[in-house]
Amino acid sequence: MSCYTIYYNEGAKMMRPVTNRDEYLQLRDSAKQKNIIDAVRNGDEKSKHRLLQMNYSCMPNEDGSLKGSIRVTTTVGMDVDLHRDDFTNEEDYQKALAEIPEKVLAKKDELGLLMLERSATKGYHLVFKRKAELSQEDNLRWASDLLGVEFDKGAKDITRVFFTTTASEDDLLFLDDELFIATEFHNGAMSPIQGSESEGNANNDRVDTLSSVMPSFQDSSKNCGESSRAGSDPAREETVEKSDLNYLGIPYDKIIQKWWELYNDGQTPVKSNRDVLTFELAVNLRHIAGFDRETLDKVIPCYDGFPHDQKMKCIDSALSEKRTQMPKRLRDVLTELKKEILRNDNASTWISTGSDNDNILMALEEAEQEDELFYYKRIPQSALPQGIAESIKATGAKMAMPVLAVTCPAIGALATDVKVLIHGKETKLNMHSFVVGDAASCKGDLDSVVDAWMVEETMKNTIYYQQEEEFRAKKKAAKNAKSQPDEPHLPVRFLTMNNTVANLAERLANTDGKHAFSFTPEADTVAQKWRSSMSDFSTMLRQSYDGSRYDREAKSADATTVHIDHLLWNVCMCGTPDALYRVINNYTDGLLSRFIIAHTPDNTFAPLEDKPNLMTDKLRDRIQQIAHLLPLMQGTLNLPKLEERSRQWVEKVRREALKDDDRVMARARLRDHGTAMRMATCLILCAVAEKLIKQHGLSGAEKQLKMRPQLTAEMAAKMQTPAMLDAYEVMAESLIDNDMLYFREKLENANQNTGLSSDRKRGGKNDRIYDRLSDTFTFEQAMGAKGSGCTHNSVRQMLKNWRKQGLIKQVDEGRYQKITNG
């Protein structure tokens, strides 16, 4: 029999044997595997290629590779897919799918069944004992006839790999330990692989012969090319040259060389700056080195006589930093190397031996796609209730954060009678957002999501607009009459952004004290329409976030005068980075800090999708069920667990900012945590609605909310699950990360003009002064770490703040020491 897991070495698929049940289940049951499965089954089918891959029909080549193998094993892997088009209706299709496991298990003995699993999307995979007298395809056809099911005609080669699912009972339906005895056919005869034990011992140790030529399984992000020396000889490990180490086929020394070309004028660090620059290099490289200390030690040189222990302190500080998406500067390095490969600029002289240009490009593309899921993968799937989950499925997992950015303000507007206690203050769910993306970066996919949430308000608008048209017609007909028709003041709540200040103010005054909501897929509309009155626009957005009073006086009797006790208006915009900076062009008036900023994934080099994510009728209907119940919810929510998690996050960011004397980040946290709490509350409201629908049906849920005004608050308090609190923190991290990504430099410059600058140039959001200093350091070293242009007074103030917070102590004149766990 045979069971092999697939990994990549320098772009080539390699095989490693799985020799017992425990190892097999552990591989299937990893957190990463579960997260990817959840993403795939929630609509992100492009993530399917990141699942664990298995082969059950062949043995590896002598070098451990899969491609071109002709070594047949005693088992056959079979892919069973049913095509929806072959059935007249969905019910028959689902029934046929459900019958497959029953058919297989009913004939498992006759078939020689060894494994049966549910596939990631549709259909099933099974492994059975090979009939020696039949070819691979004939074996598949024999099993197909026996079971009465069709096999996938495109999956009949022995090198076929299967995207594996999880170890849950719903996914892994049958498993026989005989699968793990590695055996091979030789001229029709079966023989065990040298080193394996008898057929009766299914839990034998890993095959020695195979392990001598194949490395142990490791995560693809940690595959640093060490598989070429996978033997266990320690002496050989010590003599490995740095150039043998690579990331997806690109040598690390080439990546580091490109890093210095882009960020240090091609010069390597010298004694005066090697601490700072080594830290910056390590904090970036860790993302492609699997966050592995040993790998970073091997690939980062000791520049200009740098003592090894001091270099390791820099690496350890880098590894202790908060994990984020791949930093932009490292992305730019890989992009430049990708361009060299595409142009073939002598790339063949530096890519790793045995690597293929196309494979490297594909691997880099996969790594970038993986990174786009950074935030989504950290949000537990149980924290994405009905409505939210469908919105993400309609656009794809990579659009998860942009989806949350537009759905949360919409939810807040629909649940207009709900408040939440934030630090003891009752707060409406007021939010604004801006989704940033280049042209053709899928921003338009959000239109269908917003339309689904706002469908009932859209229908009301149609009626209101018709009444207004009728009024205008009557007024025109009665132009010269003494009696003029009364102008209707209709509560239009879904407002267009293509409007004037006066008209918009009048609309906002007529919402009967409820939220208005606006969405524009083109923020340039705002920038152009409001060009001469952007200050008015900014004021209205700031006051609507706070829910404060808004007044507009006019001298003329015909002009618009409005007085609104609490301005309630949630706004969502989409646009390019240029449009973002045209809308938010003042960085100190507080508008920026009131915005949720998200960005679409970079699809510059992404291939066209075969099956793009679409808003289906079923998804739309499930979203509309939740949207229908939100206006019926009321009351003030007291969420103490969410409050506590928010306070913990604020304190964590405060200490991070303090260590780096980072005023920009320290100030960003002050509103971002509150906005993230409002977003988390929106998810909680959807979870409440979902539970009510499951318990009572849609009409029953509606009745419950009408009869029991306190029901929303009571149920919401029970929805503060660990998963929901984790989702809060992910959203808060996303908010502050995007603030830093798009506005750090602009805020630094603005603060410098107002005398609040921290006098330091930063390399990135992971770059902290405190962590780059030695355990003991001098005033001059602190001044050098803070950067050119800083003053003695600013360094003294920084050190004073550190002492007050217990991070350091002064041990001598001009000398300081870090305090453990500071």
Side-chain angles (χ1 to χ4, degrees):
M1 315 307 165
S2 73
C3 177
Y4 287 85
T5 184
I6 306 299
Y7 67 96
Y8 286 89
N9 175 31
E10 299 179 350
K13 286 185 178 180
M14 309 294 287
M15 302 175 68
R16 184 188 68 80
V18 181
T19 59
N20 59 68
R21 173 185 287 263
D22 290 342
E23 182 182 9
Y24 185 71
L25 296 179
Q26 185 178 6
L27 287 170
R28 297 182 66 120
D29 211 34
S30 70
K32 177 181 178 181
Q33 182 79 354
K34 291 176 180 177
N35 287 338
I36 299 173
I37 280 289
D38 285 340
V40 171
R41 289 175 178 167
N42 279 285
D44 183 24
E45 292 195 20
K46 287 179 65 177
S47 289
K48 182 178 176 181
H49 70 280
R50 298 190 295 111
L51 288 167
L52 182 69
Q53 299 177 42
M54 293 282 187
N55 177 279
Y56 302 99
S57 301
C58 75
M59 306 288 290
N61 297 309
E62 292 301 323
D63 62 355
S65 64
L66 169 68
K67 186 175 181 180
S69 174
I70 58 174
R71 303 174 64 194
V72 180
T73 65
T74 57
T75 55
V76 178
M78 178 175 171
D79 191 350
V80 179
D81 279 344
L82 293 184
H83 298 286
R84 175 64 180 84
D85 295 341
D86 295 337
F87 297 84
T88 55
N89 57 63
E90 181 68 18
E91 183 178 354
D92 290 346
Y93 172 63
Q94 293 298 333
K95 182 180 179 182
L97 275 177
E99 289 175 350
I100 291 177
E102 298 174 7
K103 292 180 179 180
V104 175
L105 293 173
K107 297 191 176 183
K108 63 183 177 64
D109 295 332
E110 185 177 355
L111 177 65
L113 182 67
L114 297 173
M115 191 278 292
L116 173 64
E117 69 173 352
R118 175 190 173 200
S119 70
T121 50
K122 60 183 185 298
Y124 298 86
H125 304 148
L126 56 100
V127 181
F128 60 91
K129 296 179 182 179
R130 181 183 299 276
K131 289 193 169 295
E133 69 276 12
L134 300 179
S135 67
Q136 175 79 0
E137 186 172 355
D138 288 340
N139 266 281
L140 292 169
R141 189 173 290 110
W142 170 81
S144 176
D145 293 340
L146 175 67
L147 301 173
V149 297
E150 287 294 323
F151 70 92
D152 185 351
K153 301 299 191 299
K156 58 188 181 182
D157 190 85
I158 64 170
T159 59
R160 167 74 176 190
V161 297
F162 296 87
F163 292 109
T164 305
T165 51
T166 72
S168 70
E169 293 181 357
D170 292 334
D171 281 338
L172 185 58
L173 307 177
F174 181 87
L175 180 64
D176 191 309
D177 285 352
E178 194 174 352
L179 177 67
F180 307 111
I181 302 174
T183 48
E184 178 183 8
F185 272 117
H186 290 292
N187 298 321
M190 183 182 75
S191 64
I193 300 300
Q194 181 183 357
S196 66
E197 297 186 13
S198 65
E199 188 170 322
N201 183 4
N203 292 320
N204 55 313
D205 294 332
R206 183 168 301 170
V207 181
D208 295 334
T209 304
L210 289 170
S211 64
S212 66
V213 296
M214 302 175 200
S216 61
F217 179 81
Q218 53 187 326
D219 187 88
S220 60
S221 66
K222 290 182 65 175
N223 181 14
C224 302
E226 296 176 283
S227 53
S228 60
R229 57 177 197 286
S232 58
D233 181 2
R236 188 177 183 188
E237 289 282 344
E238 292 175 3
T239 59
V240 171
E241 294 296 327
K242 181 180 64 177
S243 59
D244 288 340
L245 297 173
N246 67 83
Y247 171 68
L248 303 177
I250 302 178
Y252 276 103
D253 52 5
K254 181 65 179 180
I255 295 172
I256 293 172
Q257 177 187 340
K258 181 60 68 174
W259 174 270
W260 299 131
E261 287 178 12
L262 294 180
Y263 304 121
N264 202 39
D265 298 325
Q267 302 298 312
T268 57
V270 295
K271 187 174 182 179
S272 61
N273 61 17
R274 63 193 182 192
D275 289 84
V276 175
L277 297 184
T278 297
F279 173 86
E280 290 180 356
L281 177 63
V283 88
N284 282 269
L285 283 186
R286 65 187 182 140
H287 291 267
I288 59 174
F291 292 85
D292 184 69
R293 187 175 188 263
E294 182 180 354
T295 301
L296 290 172
D297 179 24
K298 290 179 179 179
V299 302
I300 297 177
C302 289
Y303 291 108
D304 198 17
F306 204 12
H308 182 262
D309 61 341
Q310 191 62 29
K311 182 188 81 168
M312 293 311 298
K313 286 183 179 180
C314 293
I315 290 175
D316 290 338
S317 292
L319 290 172
S320 69
E321 288 290 295
K322 180 187 74 177
R323 294 195 180 192
T324 66
Q325 280 184 291
M326 185 184 293
K328 183 179 183 301
R329 296 203 298 171
L330 181 59
R331 278 175 172 267
D332 291 343
V333 168
L334 296 177
T335 298
E336 288 300 312
L337 293 172
K338 185 192 297 185
K339 290 177 181 177
E340 289 189 19
I341 295 173
L342 289 169
R343 294 193 305 262
N344 200 27
D345 289 354
N346 297 318
S348 59
T349 64
W350 53 259
I351 62 173
S352 295
T353 304
S355 297
D356 176 82
N357 283 15
D358 291 337
N359 285 338
I360 291 176
L361 291 171
M362 185 182 302
L364 284 171
E365 183 64 35
E366 290 180 3
E368 289 174 2
Q369 292 176 5
E370 167 85 7
D371 190 59
E372 294 290 357
L373 292 168
F374 174 77
Y375 294 110
Y376 174 75
K377 289 188 300 181
R378 293 170 61 207
I379 299 178
Q381 295 300 302
S382 58
L384 299 176
Q386 181 179 335
I388 299 295
E390 285 74 16
S391 298
I392 294 174
K393 191 171 184 178
T395 57
K398 293 184 182 66
M399 291 287 286
M401 302 316 293
V403 164
L404 289 172
V406 298
T407 54
C408 287
I411 292 167
L414 292 171
T416 187
D417 293 324
V418 174
K419 297 179 181 178
V420 62
L421 283 173
I422 298 180
H423 306 334
K425 180 181 178 181
E426 291 187 357
T427 306
K428 290 267 193 178
L429 301 178
N430 309 328
M431 286 167 278
H432 307 310
S433 67
F434 197 113
V435 176
V436 190
D438 293 326
S441 61
C442 302
K443 297 188 299 296
D445 292 354
L446 299 172
D447 295 10
S448 61
V449 173
V450 174
D451 290 344
W453 283 96
M454 302 303 294
V455 65
E456 291 189 7
E457 291 303 320
T458 301
M459 293 169 63
K460 292 177 185 177
N461 280 7
T462 302
I463 297 172
Y464 296 148
Y465 291 151
Q466 184 177 352
Q467 292 178 15
E468 289 178 344
E469 283 294 326
E470 292 172 356
F471 160 73
R472 282 190 284 269
K474 290 178 181 179
K475 185 176 181 180
K476 184 176 181 181
K479 185 177 181 180
N480 297 319
K482 291 182 179 180
S483 178
Q484 293 289 317
D486 292 331
E487 181 176 358
H489 297 284
L490 302 172
V492 177
R493 295 176 58 199
F494 193 5
L495 305 179
T496 177
M497 297 289 288
N498 190 7
N499 212 332
T500 64
V501 177
N503 289 343
L504 197 51
E506 187 173 9
R507 289 289 195 195
L508 291 170
N510 293 327
T511 60
D512 295 336
K514 299 182 181 298
H515 274 86
F517 176 77
S518 294
F519 170 77
T520 176
E522 296 295 341
D524 277 327
T525 300
V526 177
Q528 293 169 7
K529 189 75 177 181
W530 296 60
R531 182 168 48 192
S532 60
S533 52
M534 285 303 291
S535 60
D536 291 334
F537 181 60
S538 174
T539 300
M540 293 174 73
L541 290 179
R542 283 180 280 136
Q543 290 184 283
S544 59
Y545 179 91
D546 300 335
S548 59
R549 183 176 181 81
Y550 176 74
D551 296 288
R552 186 176 190 274
E553 290 281 358
K555 293 181 179 179
S556 171
D558 295 328
T560 302
T561 296
V562 297
H563 300 284
I564 304 173
D565 290 337
H566 301 285
L567 182 58
L568 303 175
W569 181 35
N570 289 1
V571 176
C572 299
M573 292 178 275
C574 301
T576 62
D578 286 344
L580 171 67
Y581 297 133
R582 283 195 291 272
V583 171
I584 304 177
N585 54 21
N586 187 324
Y587 313 119
T588 57
D589 67 356
L591 179 60
L592 165 61
S593 63
R594 291 172 169 87
F595 259 85
I596 301 165
I597 298 177
H599 63 84
T600 57
D602 182 3
N603 62 347
T604 306
F605 295 103
L608 288 177
E609 299 180 37
D610 295 330
K611 296 180 180 179
N613 298 93
L614 298 171
M615 176 66 74
T616 64
D617 291 339
K618 182 178 179 180
L619 296 177
R620 187 179 295 106
D621 180 63
R622 286 178 60 79
I623 293 171
Q624 290 170 7
Q625 289 177 8
I626 304 298
H628 178 72
L629 296 180
L630 292 173
L632 304 176
M633 296 181 177
Q634 55 185 299
T636 299
L637 311 187
N638 184 11
L639 305 173
K641 293 180 181 178
L642 179 61
E643 170 83 17
E644 178 59 27
R645 176 62 76 90
S646 177
R647 288 182 176 274
Q648 291 172 3
W649 181 81
V650 170
E651 176 61 15
K652 181 181 71 172
V653 177
R654 185 188 73 84
R655 291 183 69 83
E656 287 179 2
L658 180 67
K659 288 180 178 181
D660 197 31
D661 194 32
D662 190 345
R663 294 185 61 90
V664 173
M665 181 177 287
R667 296 211 61 80
R669 72 191 165 100
L670 297 176
R671 279 210 176 101
D672 283 347
H673 82 283
T675 301
M677 283 189 71
R678 299 181 192 192
M679 295 175 72
T681 304
C682 291
L683 268 60
I684 286 174
L685 292 180
C686 292
V688 169
E690 179 182 21
K691 188 169 185 178
L692 285 172
I693 291 171
K694 287 180 177 178
Q695 291 177 340
H696 306 286
L698 182 60
S699 58
E702 182 178 345
K703 184 177 180 181
Q704 289 289 321
L705 288 169
K706 290 178 178 178
M707 291 175 56
R708 301 170 60 187
Q710 296 302 316
L711 181 60
T712 301
E714 293 170 2
M715 293 185 66
K718 299 176 182 178
M719 297 297 176
Q720 300 173 89
T721 62
M724 194 64 74
L725 300 182
D726 288 345
Y728 158 81
E729 188 155 338
V730 174
M731 290 187 291
E733 293 285 359
S734 174
L735 294 183
I736 203 165
D737 285 350
N738 282 312
D739 285 348
M740 298 303 100
L741 175 64
Y742 290 103
F743 287 98
R744 174 183 280 288
E745 185 176 347
K746 295 179 183 297
L747 287 167
E748 286 278 8
N749 293 337
N751 287 341
Q752 191 170 27
N753 293 334
T754 58
L756 298 177
S757 174
S758 56
D759 301 320
R760 195 175 80 81
K761 297 295 184 184
R762 290 177 176 79
K765 59 191 173 191
N766 292 308
D767 170 19
R768 293 211 305 245
I769 299 171
Y770 181 88
D771 291 319
R772 298 202 326 260
L773 290 167
S774 304
D775 291 339
T776 59
F777 59 91
T778 65
F779 182 91
E780 289 73 20
Q781 288 172 330
M783 193 166 185
K786 191 168 171 60
S788 61
C790 67
T791 64
H792 281 73
N793 286 337
S794 65
V795 176
R796 288 193 188 94
Q797 184 61 46
M798 178 181 74
L799 296 174
K800 180 181 177 182
N801 290 338
W802 287 357
R803 289 200 305 274
K804 286 173 62 178
Q805 295 297 324
L807 296 175
I808 63 171
K809 62 182 179 180
Q810 188 166 356
V811 295
D812 200 354
E813 181 67 27
R815 292 186 62 82
Y816 303 87
Q817 182 177 340
K818 292 182 180 179
I819 296 175
T820 305
N821 298 325

Coordinates of all heavy atoms in Angstrom, one line a residue, residues 409-456:
P409 N -20.8 49.3 8.7 CA -21.6 50.5 8.7 C -23.1 50.4 8.2 O -24.0 51.0 8.7 CB -20.8 51.4 7.7 CG -19.4 50.9 7.8 CD -19.6 49.4 7.9
A410 N -23.3 49.5 7.3 CA -24.7 49.2 6.8 C -25.5 48.5 8.0 O -26.6 48.9 8.2 CB -24.6 48.3 5.6
I411 N -24.9 47.6 8.7 CA -25.5 46.9 9.8 C -25.8 48.0 10.9 O -26.9 48.0 11.4 CB -24.7 45.8 10.3 CG1 -24.6 44.7 9.3 CG2 -25.2 45.3 11.7 CD1 -23.5 43.6 9.6
G412 N -24.8 48.8 11.2 CA -25.0 49.9 12.2 C -26.2 50.8 11.8 O -26.9 51.2 12.7
A413 N -26.3 51.1 10.5 CA -27.4 52.0 10.1 C -28.8 51.3 10.2 O -29.8 51.9 10.6 CB -27.2 52.5 8.7
L414 N -28.8 50.0 9.9 CA -30.1 49.3 9.9 C -30.5 49.1 11.4 O -31.7 49.2 11.7 CB -29.9 47.9 9.2 CG -29.8 48.0 7.7 CD1 -29.4 46.7 7.1 CD2 -31.0 48.6 7.0
A415 N -29.6 48.7 12.3 CA -29.8 48.6 13.7 C -29.8 49.9 14.4 O -29.1 50.1 15.4 CB -28.9 47.6 14.3
T416 N -30.6 50.8 13.9 CA -30.5 52.2 14.3 C -30.9 52.5 15.8 O -30.6 53.5 16.4 CB -31.3 53.1 13.4 OG1 -31.0 54.5 13.7 CG2 -32.8 52.8 13.5
D417 N -31.7 51.5 16.4 CA -32.2 51.7 17.7 C -31.3 51.0 18.8 O -31.7 50.8 19.9 CB -33.6 51.2 17.8 CG -34.6 52.1 17.0 OD1 -34.3 53.3 17.0 OD2 -35.5 51.5 16.5
V418 N -30.1 50.5 18.3 CA -29.2 49.8 19.2 C -28.1 50.7 19.6 O -27.5 51.4 18.8 CB -28.7 48.5 18.5 CG1 -27.6 47.8 19.4 CG2 -29.8 47.5 18.2
K419 N -27.7 50.6 20.9 CA -26.5 51.3 21.4 C -25.7 50.3 22.1 O -26.1 49.2 22.5 CB -26.9 52.4 22.4 CG -27.8 53.6 21.8 CD -28.1 54.6 22.9 CE -29.0 55.7 22.4 NZ -29.4 56.7 23.4
V420 N -24.4 50.6 22.2 CA -23.5 49.8 23.0 C -22.7 50.6 24.0 O -22.3 51.8 23.7 CB -22.5 49.0 22.0 CG1 -21.7 50.0 21.2 CG2 -21.7 48.0 22.8
L421 N -22.4 50.1 25.1 CA -21.6 50.8 26.1 C -20.1 50.6 25.8 O -19.6 49.5 25.8 CB -21.9 50.2 27.5 CG -23.2 50.6 28.2 CD1 -23.4 49.9 29.5 CD2 -23.2 52.1 28.5
I422 N -19.5 51.7 25.5 CA -18.0 51.7 25.3 C -17.4 52.6 26.4 O -17.6 53.8 26.4 CB -17.7 52.2 23.9 CG1 -18.3 51.3 22.8 CG2 -16.2 52.3 23.7 CD1 -18.0 51.7 21.4
H423 N -16.7 52.0 27.3 CA -16.1 52.7 28.4 C -17.1 53.5 29.2 O -16.9 54.7 29.6 CB -14.9 53.7 27.9 CG -13.9 52.9 27.1 ND1 -13.7 51.6 27.2 CD2 -13.1 53.4 26.1 CE1 -12.7 51.3 26.3 NE2 -12.4 52.3 25.7
G424 N -18.3 52.9 29.4 CA -19.3 53.5 30.2 C -20.2 54.5 29.5 O -21.2 55.0 30.0
K425 N -20.0 54.7 28.2 CA -20.7 55.7 27.4 C -21.6 55.0 26.4 O -21.1 54.2 25.6 CB -19.8 56.7 26.7 CG -20.5 57.8 25.9 CD -19.5 58.7 25.2 CE -20.3 59.7 24.4 NZ -19.3 60.6 23.7
E426 N -22.9 55.4 26.4 CA -23.8 54.8 25.4 C -23.5 55.3 24.0 O -23.4 56.5 23.8 CB -25.2 55.1 25.7 CG -25.7 54.4 27.0 CD -27.2 54.6 27.2 OE1 -27.8 55.3 26.4 OE2 -27.8 54.0 28.1
T427 N -23.2 54.4 23.1 CA -22.8 54.9 21.7 C -23.6 54.2 20.7 O -23.8 52.9 20.7 CB -21.3 54.5 21.5 OG1 -20.5 55.1 22.6 CG2 -20.8 55.0 20.2
K428 N -24.1 54.9 19.7 CA -24.7 54.3 18.5 C -23.7 53.7 17.6 O -22.5 54.0 17.7 CB -25.5 55.4 17.8 CG -26.7 56.0 18.5 CD -28.0 55.2 18.0 CE -29.2 55.9 18.5 NZ -30.4 55.2 18.0
L429 N -24.1 52.8 16.8 CA -23.2 52.1 15.9 C -22.9 53.0 14.6 O -23.2 52.7 13.5 CB -23.8 50.8 15.5 CG -24.1 49.9 16.7 CD1 -24.7 48.6 16.2 CD2 -22.8 49.6 17.5
N430 N -22.2 54.2 14.9 CA -21.9 55.1 13.8 C -20.5 54.8 13.3 O -19.5 54.7 14.1 CB -21.9 56.5 14.4 CG -23.1 56.9 15.2 OD1 -24.2 56.4 14.8 ND2 -23.0 57.7 16.2
M431 N -20.4 54.6 12.0 CA -19.1 54.2 11.4 C -19.0 54.8 10.0 O -20.0 54.9 9.3 CB -19.0 52.7 11.3 CG -18.7 52.0 12.6 SD -19.0 50.2 12.5 CE -20.7 50.1 12.7
H432 N -17.8 55.0 9.5 CA -17.5 55.4 8.1 C -16.4 54.5 7.7 O -15.5 54.1 8.4 CB -17.0 56.9 8.0 CG -18.0 57.8 8.6 ND1 -19.3 57.8 8.4 CD2 -17.8 58.9 9.5 CE1 -19.9 58.8 9.1 NE2 -19.0 59.4 9.8
S433 N -16.3 54.2 6.4 CA -15.3 53.4 5.9 C -14.8 53.8 4.5 O -15.6 54.5 3.7 CB -15.7 51.9 5.8 OG -16.7 51.7 4.8
F434 N -13.6 53.4 4.1 CA -13.0 53.7 2.8 C -12.3 52.4 2.4 O -11.3 52.0 3.1 CB -12.1 54.9 2.8 CG -11.8 55.5 1.4 CD1 -12.3 56.7 1.1 CD2 -11.1 54.7 0.5 CE1 -12.1 57.2 -0.2 CE2 -10.9 55.2 -0.8 CZ -11.4 56.5 -1.1
V435 N -12.7 51.8 1.3 CA -12.0 50.7 0.7 C -11.1 51.1 -0.4 O -11.6 51.7 -1.4 CB -13.0 49.6 0.2 CG1 -12.3 48.4 -0.4 CG2 -13.9 49.1 1.4
V436 N -9.8 50.9 -0.2 CA -8.8 51.4 -1.1 C -8.4 50.2 -2.1 O -8.2 49.1 -1.7 CB -7.5 51.8 -0.4 CG1 -6.6 52.5 -1.3 CG2 -7.9 52.7 0.8
G437 N -8.3 50.6 -3.3 CA -7.8 49.6 -4.3 C -7.5 50.2 -5.6 O -8.1 51.2 -6.0
D438 N -6.6 49.6 -6.4 CA -6.3 50.1 -7.7 C -7.4 49.8 -8.6 O -8.4 49.1 -8.3 CB -5.0 49.4 -8.2 CG -3.8 49.8 -7.4 OD1 -3.7 51.0 -7.0 OD2 -2.8 49.0 -7.2
A439 N -7.3 50.3 -9.8 CA -8.4 50.1 -10.8 C -8.4 48.6 -11.1 O -7.4 47.9 -11.1 CB -8.0 50.8 -12.1
A440 N -9.7 48.1 -11.3 CA -9.9 46.7 -11.6 C -9.4 45.8 -10.5 O -8.9 44.7 -10.8 CB -9.3 46.3 -12.9
S441 N -9.5 46.2 -9.2 CA -9.1 45.3 -8.1 C -10.2 44.7 -7.3 O -10.1 44.4 -6.2 CB -8.2 46.1 -7.2 OG -8.9 47.2 -6.6
C442 N -11.4 44.6 -8.0 CA -12.6 43.9 -7.4 C -13.3 44.8 -6.4 O -14.2 44.3 -5.7 CB -12.2 42.6 -6.7 SG -11.4 41.4 -7.9
K443 N -13.1 46.1 -6.4 CA -13.9 47.0 -5.5 C -15.4 46.9 -5.9 O -16.3 46.9 -5.1 CB -13.4 48.4 -5.6 CG -12.0 48.7 -5.2 CD -11.7 50.1 -5.1 CE -11.8 50.8 -6.5 NZ -10.8 50.3 -7.4
G444 N -15.6 46.7 -7.2 CA -17.0 46.6 -7.7 C -17.8 45.4 -7.2 O -19.0 45.4 -7.2
D445 N -17.1 44.4 -6.7 CA -17.8 43.2 -6.1 C -18.5 43.6 -4.9 O -19.5 42.9 -4.5 CB -16.8 42.1 -5.8 CG -16.1 41.5 -7.1 OD1 -16.6 41.9 -8.2 OD2 -15.2 40.7 -6.9
L446 N -18.2 44.7 -4.3 CA -18.8 45.1 -3.0 C -20.2 45.7 -3.3 O -21.1 45.8 -2.4 CB -18.0 46.1 -2.3 CG -16.6 45.6 -1.8 CD1 -15.8 46.8 -1.3 CD2 -16.7 44.5 -0.8
D447 N -20.5 46.1 -4.5 CA -21.8 46.7 -4.9 C -22.9 45.7 -4.5 O -23.9 46.1 -3.9 CB -21.8 47.1 -6.3 CG -20.9 48.2 -6.7 OD1 -20.0 48.5 -5.8 OD2 -20.9 48.7 -7.8
S448 N -22.8 44.5 -5.0 CA -23.8 43.5 -4.8 C -24.0 43.2 -3.3 O -25.2 42.9 -2.9 CB -23.5 42.2 -5.5 OG -22.3 41.6 -5.1
V449 N -23.0 43.3 -2.5 CA -23.1 43.0 -1.1 C -23.9 44.1 -0.4 O -24.8 43.9 0.3 CB -21.7 43.0 -0.4 CG1 -21.8 42.9 1.1 CG2 -20.9 41.8 -1.0
V450 N -23.6 45.4 -0.7 CA -24.3 46.5 -0.1 C -25.8 46.5 -0.6 O -26.7 46.7 0.2 CB -23.7 47.9 -0.5 CG1 -24.5 49.0 -0.1 CG2 -22.3 48.0 0.1
D451 N -26.0 46.2 -1.9 CA -27.4 46.1 -2.4 C -28.2 45.0 -1.6 O -29.4 45.3 -1.4 CB -27.3 45.7 -3.9 CG -26.8 46.9 -4.7 OD1 -26.8 48.0 -4.2 OD2 -26.5 46.7 -5.9
A452 N -27.5 43.9 -1.3 CA -28.3 42.8 -0.6 C -28.7 43.3 0.8 O -29.8 43.0 1.3 CB -27.4 41.6 -0.5
W453 N -27.8 44.0 1.5 CA -28.1 44.4 2.8 C -29.1 45.6 2.8 O -30.0 45.6 3.7 CB -26.8 44.9 3.5 CG -25.9 43.8 4.0 CD1 -24.9 43.3 3.4 CD2 -26.1 43.1 5.2 NE1 -24.3 42.3 4.1 CE2 -25.0 42.2 5.3 CE3 -27.0 43.2 6.3 CZ2 -24.9 41.3 6.4 CZ3 -26.8 42.3 7.4 CH2 -25.8 41.4 7.4
M454 N -29.1 46.4 1.8 CA -30.0 47.6 1.8 C -31.2 47.4 0.9 O -31.9 48.4 0.6 CB -29.2 48.8 1.4 CG -27.9 49.1 2.2 SD -28.3 49.4 4.0 CE -29.3 50.9 3.9
V455 N -31.6 46.2 0.6 CA -32.7 46.0 -0.4 C -34.0 46.6 0.1 O -34.8 47.2 -0.7 CB -32.8 44.5 -0.7 CG1 -33.3 43.7 0.5 CG2 -33.8 44.3 -1.9
E456 N -34.3 46.5 1.4 CA -35.6 47.0 1.9 C -35.6 48.5 1.9 O -36.6 49.1 1.5 CB -35.9 46.5 3.3 CG -36.2 45.0 3.3 CD -36.6 44.5 4.7 OE1 -36.9 45.4 5.6 OE2 -36.8 43.3 4.9

